[in-house]
Structures are given as C-alpha cells and as structure tokens.
Amino acid sequence: MEAGTSEQMFPSSFKDATLEGLFQSYSVKQKRSAIECYLLASVLFNLQNLVLIVDVNSVHFVHSVVFLLVNISIFLWCRFRSKPFWSVIPHVTWGLSLLQLLLHMGLQVYPHTSRDYLGWIVLISFFIYATLPVKLQICRLLSLVSCIVYICLLLLIHQLGDSTSSQPFLFRQERLLLSVLPEHVAVQMRQDLGDFFLLKETWFSSVLISDSVCCFSILYADIVGFTAISSTYSASELVKILNELFARFDRLSEKYQQLRIKILGDCYYCISGAPKERPDHAILSVHMGLSMVKAIKYVQQTTNSPVDMRVGIHTGAVLAGVLGQRQWQFDVYSKDVELANKMEQSGLPGRVHISEKTLCYIDGNFEVEPAFGENREEALRQAGLKTFFIVNTIVPPLWCNTRRVHISEKTLCYIDGNFEVEPAFGENREEALRQAGLKTFFIVNTIVPPLRCNTRLEGK
C-alpha cells in the first residue's frame, strides 16, 4: 500500500517509452553545459596537488601538470566547439578524473590517508549524476564502477602497507635478536618463536654445541689497571673508551673466527671452534689474544695510563645455552670454561697464558715458555694443568701471507731447486691438506731466474 503510494508520488520514469526517451535526451542536452563544472573540479584538484607537492622535479609533480593541461584542453574544447564529440567527451572526462585520483591515492603523493580521498570519490559520484551528459543508467554504472575501484585500491593499499610497515619492524627485531644471541642460536630460537609466550617460569633452552668432541678453545681477557682509569675519568668518557676498545675486540673476533660470548665490565671472553668445528681453533685463539694485547695500546695512549691486557686460554669441552624467560642471556658452561677463567686470573699483564691442553693444538706455530700458573692458582693445580706463556709467533696466520706463494710438497718435487723454500705448515691450518698427508711450503727467494731474463746474455 505504502510502496504503491510512494511509486505514484515519485515516479522513476514515464510510462510512455517515447516520452521517457524525449526526457532523457532533453536531460542529456541540458547537462552539456554543466560538464564544464566537472572539468573545473578536476582542474582545482590538480592545482591543489601542485601546491602541496614540494619537489617540483618529482614524477608526481610532472603527472599533475600533465593532468592539469589535459583537463584545461578538454574544458576549452567543450567551451568553444559546437559539436565536441558528446558521445566520447563525458566518458573521457570521467576516466581522467578517476585515474588521477586513484593515481595520487596509490602513489601517496602527499601525506594523506586513503580515507581522505573518500570525499573526492563522493564528489565524483555527485558530479557524474549532476553534470555528465549521459543517460541515467550510464550515470549509475559509472558511479558504481568508481566506488568499486576505490574500495579495491583501498584494500590493496592497506594490504601492501601492512606488509611494508612490518618489514622495518622485523629488521629491527632481527638486529636486536642478533645483538643478544649468536646467529646460529638466534636462527634456532626464531623457529620456535611462537612457543615463547607459552613458556613456564622455569624455562631453560639449551643449545648443545658439542656432544663428546673436545675441540674448543676458550679465551678470557681482562683489563689490568681498569680501576685506576675509572677513578680518574667520568662515566661517559669511560664508556666511550671501553666502547671503542671492545668494538676493536669485536672486529678481531670476526677476523680470527671467534664467537664472542659476553662482556662483563672490563672482561671479554669468547670461544673458537663454534658453531662450526675447525682444527685450528687454538691457533686462532692465540692470535686473538696477541692482537688484543696490541689493541690495548689504544687505551694506553688515550688515557696515558699503564693499563694492559691479561689473557688466558684453555681448550676443552663446552656446553652453551640460553637462560632467562624475559631477558635472554647466552652463555657457556663447563669445567673447562672455569679453568679458562682461572688461566686469565693467574696470568700476567701483557702476556697470553695458555694451558698444556691448548699447547697440544697449536702445532708448533708459537714459541712458548713455562708460566708456572699452577703455582699461583689452586684450581689449576688441582686439575693437574701446566701452563705456558706465548713468547713469539713462529708461523704467521695464513691471511698474513697473501703475498707469498704457497706450494705443496708435490709441487716442490717439480721446481728442481729453482726456488728457495721454507715450511709453511699449511696442513696445520687446513683439514683437507692434513687428510691428504700434504706438507706445504712458502717460496722465499728465486735461485735460478726464468729463461727469458737471460736472453740478452745468451745473445752476447
């Protein structure tokens, strides 16, 4: 009853088809003059963009200028042409206005949210009905298409925005995790990240580095005279000095393949041979200790004080794990770790103090002398360990010999005494060479010059 009354009061069309066609034709012709308002709205939108875009050399500024010129051209065409292709102009005008709006929306030309463009979509829909010289059915279709395209692009922008905004967060999370845990541990823990929130208060996650093979060297280093420095420098200056020193230690640990475990005040300790086992772990640890003794000269020169490094190295088994539920802490645990700490405590400033177990793994690369650390430390004496000081480097590390020619003993058989050589002990640094039973040598000097160097002598 009510629907019928409303239909009679506000009819949507004429019952006579001929009359309806005449009305639609009249309405379209009446709106031909109003299309200029549609074009003026597009021009105002372009002018707004040109004002808000700061960088005149940007792509956004260029295409805003292009759209502005196109809209002005269409406006002048409709203004001064008697028959400006009315079957095409309305659709082109609508397409350009929708395209430039969606382009600015998708490229985020200026800092507006996607919802800020909702008003422009509503305005476009209003102008479609009010100004475009097309039939009512086409107006409905164009308005519907505009809204659908806007909603689709809005959903796409939000989906891409969520993924791109999460990338910096994930990158910062990754950096934070790697600053607390070693990479191989962080990878394993990241796989179980979803279970962290279900952990009990007594949770302990252990990451076993070695089952039964005793092939790790543990290095402890301590700054001797640190208390004197701390009493003469302010806290900020002291932190700056220590940060520079430990940054140098971190670079050395990367160079010598050390896994830094922790920094405790002025104590720095790391292990070699983890997470990947390597046969030269003890050699690398000794080189690390010697380099740390040299690096402390930076603090000596900066503070003008007699500070020095005391380094202790022991070789043994290591168990590593992550402790804590809220604040994770990666650390190493074993009796050998405690002995390495005692090696540092019983050492002397400026010297690298190694145990006899470590001595068994350095393969003659260093000259040593008895240190008698067992007489200064009860734990070493109870463990039956003899200790030694590093006196000199006999075989430099392999990367220090990049300018030297490194040959095998098979190659030595074919040089026929043309070169002077010396032992390189490359088999001590490379497992494959040791398994092949190959000894290696460095070329020291040329005894017999190549033949081409004697051509002038032969000519004479």
Side-chain angles (χ1 to χ4, degrees):
M1 183 68 179
E2 293 180 359
T5 304
S6 177
E7 181 79 19
Q8 294 175 359
M9 292 178 63
F10 304 102
S12 59
S13 63
F14 293 99
K15 296 181 178 180
D16 188 356
T18 303
L19 189 60
E20 176 66 21
L22 290 173
F23 174 78
Q24 291 288 346
S25 178
Y26 172 78
S27 176
V28 167
K29 290 179 180 180
Q30 283 292 104
K31 289 193 294 183
R32 285 178 180 176
S33 59
I35 194 174
E36 296 177 1
C37 297
Y38 192 104
L39 291 168
L40 285 175
S42 298
V43 170
L44 291 176
F45 179 77
N46 296 135
L47 291 175
Q48 179 199 22
N49 294 331
L50 293 177
V51 171
L52 294 177
I53 296 175
V54 179
D55 186 8
V56 296
N57 296 319
S58 65
V59 178
H60 309 308
F61 186 86
V62 173
H63 68 62
S64 294
V65 172
V66 171
F67 277 119
L68 176 62
L69 295 177
V70 172
N71 285 322
I72 293 176
S73 301
I74 297 176
F75 175 82
L76 296 176
W77 178 273
C78 295
R79 184 78 172 176
F80 299 104
R81 293 285 295 187
S82 58
K83 295 181 179 181
F85 303 101
W86 289 115
S87 61
V88 178
I89 289 296
H91 301 86
V92 173
T93 304
W94 166 79
L96 283 174
S97 62
L98 183 63
L99 177 62
Q100 62 187 355
L101 178 64
L102 297 179
L103 187 62
H104 282 71
M105 177 180 168
L107 296 178
Q108 296 292 318
V109 177
Y110 42 84
H112 282 338
T113 62
S114 301
R115 294 184 179 89
D116 294 330
Y117 292 93
L118 179 60
W120 285 101
I121 287 292
V122 173
L123 185 62
I124 287 177
S125 299
F126 169 74
F127 275 115
I128 288 174
Y129 285 101
T131 64
L132 282 188
V134 292
K135 294 183 179 181
L136 183 60
Q137 293 83 352
I138 298 179
C139 290
R140 292 172 179 171
L141 178 63
L142 295 181
S143 178
L144 180 62
V145 171
S146 300
C147 295
I148 292 176
V149 172
Y150 168 76
I151 294 173
C152 292
L153 185 59
L154 183 64
L155 295 175
L156 180 62
I157 289 175
H158 278 281
Q159 183 177 0
L160 295 177
D162 292 340
S163 60
T164 54
S165 61
S166 62
Q167 289 178 359
F169 172 75
L170 293 176
F171 177 75
R172 291 192 296 269
Q173 185 185 55
E174 180 83 5
R175 291 289 301 272
L176 180 61
L177 190 61
L178 291 177
S179 67
V180 178
L181 305 173
E183 184 177 0
H184 71 285
V185 179
V187 170
Q188 181 175 342
M189 295 187 68
R190 198 187 305 112
Q191 295 174 354
D192 302 327
L193 192 60
D195 299 331
F196 286 174
F197 301 101
L198 304 176
L199 299 174
K200 298 180 180 179
E201 294 182 357
T202 58
W203 174 71
F204 172 75
S205 175
S206 65
V207 183
L208 192 63
I209 289 183
S210 177
D211 292 326
S212 59
V213 181
C214 176
C215 60
F216 303 102
S217 292
I218 308 106
L219 180 148
Y220 270 83
D222 186 67
I223 302 177
V224 180
F226 177 75
T227 305
I229 299 178
S230 61
S231 60
T232 56
Y233 283 86
S234 64
S236 59
E237 293 174 334
L238 188 63
V239 169
K240 183 179 179 181
I241 293 173
L242 285 178
N243 182 63
E244 174 62 26
L245 179 63
F246 288 137
R248 296 189 179 199
F249 289 168
D250 284 341
R251 291 192 291 269
L252 289 174
S253 67
E254 292 180 4
K255 177 180 179 181
Y256 294 109
Q257 303 296 311
Q258 306 288 308
L259 177 61
R260 193 250 282 177
I261 303 300
K262 192 185 298 183
I263 298 174
L264 291 174
D266 61 338
C267 179
Y268 187 102
Y269 70 101
C270 54
I271 62 174
S272 180
K276 295 181 180 180
E277 297 182 7
R278 51 185 306 151
D280 57 347
H281 54 86
I283 298 173
L284 293 175
S285 291
V286 173
H287 282 300
M288 174 73 179
L290 294 174
S291 299
M292 294 176 80
V293 173
K294 294 179 182 178
I296 196 65
K297 294 181 180 179
Y298 158 77
V299 180
Q300 294 175 353
Q301 297 172 355
T302 304
T303 61
N304 195 23
S305 58
V307 294
D308 216 328
M309 291 299 298
R310 189 171 57 213
V311 181
I313 302 174
H314 177 62
T315 301
V318 170
L319 175 69
V322 180
L323 283 174
Q325 182 181 7
R326 295 184 178 179
Q327 294 181 342
W328 297 331
Q329 178 175 308
F330 179 79
D331 211 340
V332 289
Y333 317 90
S334 71
K335 180 66 176 178
D336 292 309
V337 173
E338 297 179 6
L339 291 176
N341 189 15
K342 300 300 181 182
M343 288 293 300
E344 177 269 315
Q345 295 176 4
S346 60
L348 297 179
R351 306 297 299 271
V352 177
H353 192 204
I354 67 171
S355 67
E356 59 181 338
K357 285 190 176 181
T358 304
L359 182 64
C360 298
Y361 287 90
I362 62 176
D363 298 326
N365 281 256
F366 303 93
E367 179 184 353
V368 299
E369 65 181 9
F372 305 106
E374 64 275 13
N375 297 334
R376 298 186 293 272
E377 180 57 53
E378 180 66 22
L380 299 178
R381 183 164 57 251
Q382 291 179 357
L385 281 178
K386 294 183 179 181
T387 67
F388 302 86
F389 284 131
I390 299 295
V391 178
N392 193 19
T393 301
I394 298 175
V395 181
L398 186 60
W399 51 86
C400 294
N401 303 312
T402 53
R403 295 185 178 181
R404 305 188 68 179
V405 179
H406 193 203
I407 66 172
S408 68
E409 59 181 337
K410 285 190 176 182
T411 306
L412 183 64
C413 299
Y414 289 92
I415 63 176
D416 299 327
N418 283 261
F419 303 93
E420 179 185 354
V421 300
E422 66 180 10
F425 303 104
E427 63 276 10
N428 297 337
R429 298 184 292 271
E430 181 56 53
E431 180 67 21
L433 297 177
R434 180 159 58 248
Q435 291 179 355
L438 281 178
K439 294 183 179 180
T440 66
F441 302 86
F442 285 132
I443 300 295
V444 178
N445 194 18
T446 301
I447 299 175
V448 180
L451 184 61
R452 61 177 177 274
C453 296
N454 300 318
T455 54
R456 293 186 178 180
L457 294 176
E458 292 174 357
K460 291 182 179 180

